[in-house]
Structures are given as structure tokens and as C-alpha cells.
Amino acid sequence: MRIAVVGTGYVGLVAGACFAETGNEVVGADVDAGKIEGLQRNVLPIYEPGLEDLVERNQAARRLTFTTDVAGAIAASEVVFIAVGTPPDEDGSADLRHVLAVAEQIGTHMQREMVVVTKSTVPVGTAAKVAECVARHAKFPFHVVSNPEFLKEGAAIDDFMKPDRVVLGAETDHARSVMTELYAPFVRTGKPIIFMDIPSAEMTKYAANAMLATRISFMNEIAGLCERVGANVDLVRKGIGSDGRIGPAFLFPGPGYGGSCFPKDVKALIRTARETEFCLRVLDAVEAVNEEQKRVVAGKLRRALGEDLAGARVAVWGLAFKPNTDDMREAPALTLIDELVAAGAAAVVHDPVAMDEARRRLGDSVEYAANSYDALRDADALAVMTDWNEYRHPDFVRMKSALRRPVVVDGRNLYAPEKMASLGFRYYSIGRGARD
Ligand SMILES: NC(=O)c1ccc[n+]([C@@H]2O[C@H](COP(=O)([O-])OP(=O)(O)OC[C@H]3O[C@@H](n4cnc5c(N)ncnc54)[C@H](O)[C@@H]3O)[C@@H](O)[C@H]2O)c1
């Protein structure tokens, strides 16, 4: 099939590369000329395990091409995926400007009957707006489909190639048959393609992210209570996660959720509800808890080093919002760094892959360490913000001798409290036993 994927960010690039890998002819189109020029040379704008190989292999086989000519890409295709960003507007609602701009272009440039698929996360009713925009210019029949994406950054290829399910909001036989054909290679193990009406598909994406964000905020609150009553949230997590009705995923407490999806999608769903004069009280609380949680590590640093952090030097391990990505959008580390800088403390940062992204965002407001141990030199404390594998088994003796004071605030519960105490660290983690 000839496919155009408009928007070559995390979602568009992964989807395009995976569709090419299954034999389709895919053109990835983006308005960002720098990104496209890099992609044409197999230089990826993002870090995502396995993606570089996939892009290189499929470009070499000429099944995958990249262009800034969005109109040309649309004109040459039978199926077009809209995978542009939907950032939060000032009021928290999803900003649909990019999605609708692409829809207008599709209407203007289509050369045959087309299936128009929204893959961007968009509120209920957007597919109808997309259809209106396309229809304004279209000279051929078209079929709008809602196909929300559930991939996780850091495991995106695997998630796309072996999805738990594919959700498709489609309302014509032609759309259903094209999408079934396209996704057949990815569901050979019997995972379901779930067809539904378009509004339900649009809502499914938000409901999924809202549920996952709820689990995280719930566990962060339970962790806070564990500290106050002397319980250990790790054991509580195992105790409840083994209940088949609950399951083990997304129960890890931490420094709050971040990333490009949960914060924005929770906000957008709350906003959608408000527009219908309905109040999502659970999600209001999920968001409020998360905002507080993002300040928990700074609070623990204050308890360890004293209320006034002015003049303190704090090493920060982990900048990406989660491991295996360089994505720092809404990362809890950014909130911590803001607080440190505002308090007059110095932050010395390290991340295995997000250092370039950090330099772009943070400029010279922080110091950049060449490796994780360099970050510790003469620091008054270490704050662990991302659970990268390389931070899991550090050389504790080397750590202790590099730090000026043996204070570790572990926002990801990577280390055993007893071991840290026996090594002479003053160790703070999330929800494990009484607070200092
Ligand atoms: N990142 C994720 O893990 C993830 C997962 C599921 C769903 N989503 C959703 O997918 C959508 C895309 O997210 P992303 O993280 O890939 O975004 P991104 O910001 O990484 O990429 C978006 C791309 O779209 C391009 N673009 C913007 N306007 C354009 C236009 N008019 N024509 C062509 N290109 C244009 C941008 O230049 C950019 O390269 C969002 O709605 C997001 O909520 C993201």
C-alpha cells in the first residue's frame, strides 16, 4: 500500500518505519526541514531503541522515504496518517491547529479515493472536524478513521510491531477493510483489532492514559502515607500487584509522571468534560497529586540539607522522563532543576542519552557532567530522577567518596535502604518506611 505519514515525530516515525518494514511504500512528511534532512541521512531526531536500524534498512530498500513536500506525499498515497503534535492549548484543551491544517492539505492535494487516519491523540469530535476540513476541498471520496496510538517511548518498536490491541474507529466497509489489511502483519499472534465507532476510539486513547496516570498518582499517595505510618510501598505494591484484578504494571511510585502524553492528555480530558459541564473529580485529583509529587524530591533534599538550599550543589542522575528515551517533555527532573536554581543551588546533571536535549532546554543554568560519577564530585547530595539501568548498580564506594556529603535522594527506589544505611549514606526514597 502507498502510505503517507504526516508528522515524523515519535509516533509518525515509528509508525512509518514499521509500516515500511511490512512491505508498504511509505513517505514520511514533515514541515521541519532539519528533521527531514537528517532522516534522509539516517540521522534520527530522537533516541528510540531499534529505530535507527529500521529506518536505515527501509530507506536502503526504498520502501521508506522522507520529504518536506507534504502535498506531494499526500498526492502519491492511498492512505494518509496524521501524526502531528497536539500540544495543550492555554486552557489545557488539545491544540488541533496542526491536525486541521494537515486535513485541509489532504482535501486539497488528494488524487484518488483515500483513507484519512488520525493517529495523533485528539479529543472526541476531532475526526468529524477533520472530515469537514477534507470535504471543503476534496474532489474524491474519502474515509476518516480514528486509530489512536498506544506505543510507549523506549519500547515503541516492540509496542507497534506487537501491540496488545489495535483500536480502530471506522464507519465504512472500505475503511475497515484497508485498515484490517494494513494491520494484519502486526496481529498474527491473535491480538485483537477492535473496531468501534469513531468517538469511542477517540475516547479510548484518553481513557487509557487517564487510567494509567490514575494508577501512578494513586500509588504516589499510598507511598506518602506509607512514609507516615512506617510501611514499605514496595511490599505493598507487590502485595496488590499480584492480585489478578489489579495487575503489576504502573504501580511504581516515583517523582510524578511526565512525558509528552499523560500530563497533556489528562488535562485535555478534564477540559473536554468541563465543556460538557461535567466534572472529572478523580482526574482533577490525579493531576493535583502529580503536581505535588513532582516537588517531593526537592522536599526531601531540604529535609536532608536544610530548608535553605542556597549554595548547595546537587547532582541529578536522569533527565529524561523515563529510561530509554531522550524525551524531556514535562520530565520531573525539570521541576527539580527549576526549584534548585530558584533556591540558589547548583545542579550538576547527567543522563545516558538526554544530554543534548538537556543543553537545548537548560542552556547554562546547570553544569553538565561527562559521566555519572563526575556529577557527584563535591556535591552535597545526589538526586536520582530516572530509572536508567546504568544507575541501578553503581559503585557505591566510589559514589560515597566523590560526594561531599553522603546524601542520596532516590526518586525511583533503585537501592536497598538497609544497604545504603550500612554503607554510611543518608538515604531517602519514596514511601519506604518512616520519614527522617
Ligand atoms: N510520544 C508518544 O509516546 C505518543 C504516544 C501515543 C500518541 N501520541 C500522540 O501522537 C501525536 C504526535 O506525538 P509525537 O510525540 O510524535 O509528537 P512530536 O512533537 O514528536 O512530532 C510531531 C511532528 O509533527 C510535525 N508537524 C507539525 N505540524 C505539521 C504539519 N502541518 N505538517 C507536517 N508536519 C507537521 C512536527 O514538525 C513534528 O516533527 C500527539 O497527538 C501525541 O499525543 C504520542
Side-chain angles (χ1 to χ4, degrees), residues 34-169:
K35 207 176 251 191
I36 291 299
E37 194 265 327
L39 283 167
Q40 286 166 340
R41 292 183 289 114
N42 295 314
V43 177
L44 268 54
I46 53 169
Y47 174 81
E48 182 62 46
L51 187 55
E52 202 171 324
D53 280 354
L54 208 58
V55 167
E56 198 170 337
R57 183 165 64 243
N58 283 286
Q59 278 211 101
R62 313 258 344 124
R63 285 190 299 267
L64 180 61
T65 53
F66 294 101
T67 182
T68 51
D69 178 10
V70 178
I74 292 165
S77 305
E78 318 150 63
V79 181
V80 55
F81 282 84
I82 305 176
V84 297
T86 47
D89 227 332
E90 274 154 28
D91 62 3
S93 62
D95 179 348
L96 297 177
R97 254 174 309 172
H98 304 303
V99 169
L100 298 181
V102 175
E104 295 268 351
Q105 281 184 293
I106 294 170
T108 308
H109 300 291
M110 65 198 287
Q111 296 297 328
R112 60 186 62 76
E113 181 168 6
M114 281 198 105
V115 177
V116 177
V117 188
T118 46
K119 206 165 222 343
S120 301
T121 300
V122 290
V124 175
T126 303
K129 290 184 186 159
V130 166
E132 266 174 43
C133 289
V134 178
R136 224 170 273 153
H137 314 278
K139 295 187 190 66
F140 301 90
F142 65 91
H143 310 256
V144 170
V145 170
S146 165
N147 173 211
E149 180 51 58
F150 299 98
L151 63 76
K152 297 183 290 296
E153 285 176 24
I157 305 293
D158 230 33
D159 284 349
F160 199 93
M161 288 293 200
K162 293 179 240 157
D164 289 338
R165 78 315 202 179
V166 175
V167 170
L168 289 166

Side-chain angles (χ1 to χ4, degrees), residues 195-211:
F195 280 109
M196 56 182 79
D197 61 274
I198 288 174
S200 302
E202 292 173 327
M203 179 59 93
T204 298
K205 173 65 192 175
Y206 283 99
N209 275 356
M211 168 65 90

Side-chain angles (χ1 to χ4, degrees), residues 47 317-320 324-325 350-355 386 388-391:
Y47 174 81
W317 277 7
L319 301 170
N324 297 321
T325 178
H350 176 264
D351 188 282
V353 303
M355 295 299 263
T386 315
W388 282 99
N389 272 340
E390 78 165 68
Y391 301 145

Side-chain angles (χ1 to χ4, degrees), residues 86-89 91-95 121-124 206 261-275 280 283 287:
T86 47
D89 227 332
D91 62 3
S93 62
D95 179 348
T121 300
V122 290
V124 175
Y206 283 99
C261 292
F262 288 3
K264 125 179 130 51
D265 293 350
V266 167
K267 274 193 183 63
L269 196 55
I270 289 171
R271 183 72 209 169
T272 298
R274 286 217 177 107
E275 279 163 12
L280 293 175
L283 285 189
E287 208 187 15

